[in-house]
Amino acid sequence: EAQVTQNPRYLITVTGKKLTVTCSQNMNHEYMSWYRQDPGLGLRQIYYSMNVEVTDKGDVPEGYKVSRKEKRNFPLILESPSPNQTSLYFCASRGRSETQYFGPGTRLLVL
Amino acid sequence: GNSVTQMEGPVTLSEEAFLTINCTYTATGYPSLFWYVQYPGEGLQLLLKATKADDKGSNKGFEATYRKETTSFHLEKGSVQVSDSAVYFCALFPYGNNRLAFGKGNQVVVIP
């Protein structure tokens, strides 16, 4: 089944403790993105990647890092999480068509 | 630059009512337009799309027509069901460097 998977689905952590949210897609898509969703603000893009080793900042990149060492994986790294990064995070991928496929989301709470 | 605007606020309506969610866009060139739906506890999934002016996208009883003259892509459904309760996002491609631009989304609640 074609899908985007994210792990973990739920995460509670404390300020300053590094964490990684994994994202993987099995559709051989070149393009992958990370978004955060917050009430009243909709979806905002954090980072995106156009292919292996090619990444760029989205609209809200501060406090996040990404890497794209393999085509299928696009992990999101929070080196020193803060409470304002409490949010619902989505990974997405897209091939040559314009249709984007989303993962199920990761709900993060930073205390 | 390219952008998408959705009407403010949640939408609450009764089962079998008519649903309209407004979406307008600003773009140079000829973008493609999309509606994505997010059911409770899930990620977004494509509902329908239109790639050129006057195209009508349709799926699951929902429709939207790409209107270049009014720069709009309003979503409509003639008779909603409780299972249509979700958040609906209008989107445009391309935005910036081959990206998707999303509206803020509208929460739709259908009451039995």
Side-chain angles (χ1 to χ4, degrees):
Chain A
E1 180 191 353
Q3 59 183 349
V4 179
T5 56
Q6 295 178 227
N7 281 293
R9 293 290 312 277
Y10 303 91
L11 181 58
I12 301 174
T13 190
V14 295
T15 298
K17 186 176 181 182
K18 181 180 178 179
L19 66 91
T20 298
V21 184
T22 64
C23 172
S24 183
Q25 51 93 4
N26 63 1
M27 296 169 278
N28 201 35
H29 285 167
E30 290 85 10
Y31 194 92
M32 297 184 75
S33 296
W34 276 103
Y35 296 86
R36 59 178 290 174
Q37 183 179 16
D38 302 288
L41 298 175
L43 277 174
R44 294 180 293 169
Q45 192 176 48
I46 302 169
Y47 267 96
Y48 61 101
S49 169
M50 289 165 282
N51 215 322
V52 175
E53 303 291 4
V54 182
T55 63
D56 205 351
K57 296 177 180 178
D59 300 311
V60 288
E62 295 77 20
Y64 303 95
K65 283 177 55 177
V66 293
S67 69
R68 186 95 181 269
K69 293 183 169 45
E70 305 164 280
K71 197 171 187 178
R72 62 183 293 125
N73 296 324
F74 190 46
L76 179 70
I77 302 156
L78 284 71
E79 295 268 4
S80 182
S82 62
N84 65 10
Q85 293 178 298
T86 291
S87 188
L88 178 58
Y89 291 87
F90 289 101
C91 181
S93 74
R94 174 168 62 81
R96 295 191 186 277
S97 81
E98 298 160 341
T99 301
Q100 193 146 245
Y101 296 83
F102 285 81
T106 295
R107 191 168 289 281
L108 172 65
L109 172 62
V110 183
L111 300 172
Chain B
N2 294 0
S3 66
V4 173
T5 303
Q6 286 182 240
M7 53 192 275
E8 295 285 331
V11 178
T12 302
L13 59 170
S14 299
E15 204 164 22
E16 299 184 3
F18 186 88
L19 170 69
T20 299
I21 306 176
N22 289 343
C23 172
T24 57
Y25 68 91
T26 303
T28 54
Y30 303 94
S32 295
L33 301 171
F34 305 81
W35 278 100
Y36 280 81
V37 59
Q38 182 183 25
Y39 297 107
E42 298 182 12
L44 283 74
Q45 56 185 273
L46 179 68
L47 179 60
L48 54 84
K49 70 177 185 181
T51 57
K52 60 184 188 296
D54 300 324
D55 263 5
K56 178 186 282 188
S58 61
N59 187 22
K60 299 183 180 181
F62 289 88
E63 291 183 340
T65 301
Y66 189 142
R67 302 271 188 215
K68 192 164 173 58
E69 64 276 13
T70 53
T71 61
S72 65
F73 193 55
H74 305 322
L75 183 68
E76 297 181 336
K77 185 173 185 182
S79 177
V80 293
Q81 305 301 312
V82 172
S83 57
D84 294 323
S85 297
V87 182
Y88 293 83
F89 292 90
C90 188
L92 169 156
F93 179 89
Y95 162 70
N97 188 6
N98 261 337
R99 299 158 62 191
L100 267 173
F102 285 92
K104 291 191 175 179
N106 286 104
Q107 173 85 53
V108 172
V109 177
V110 180
I111 300 168

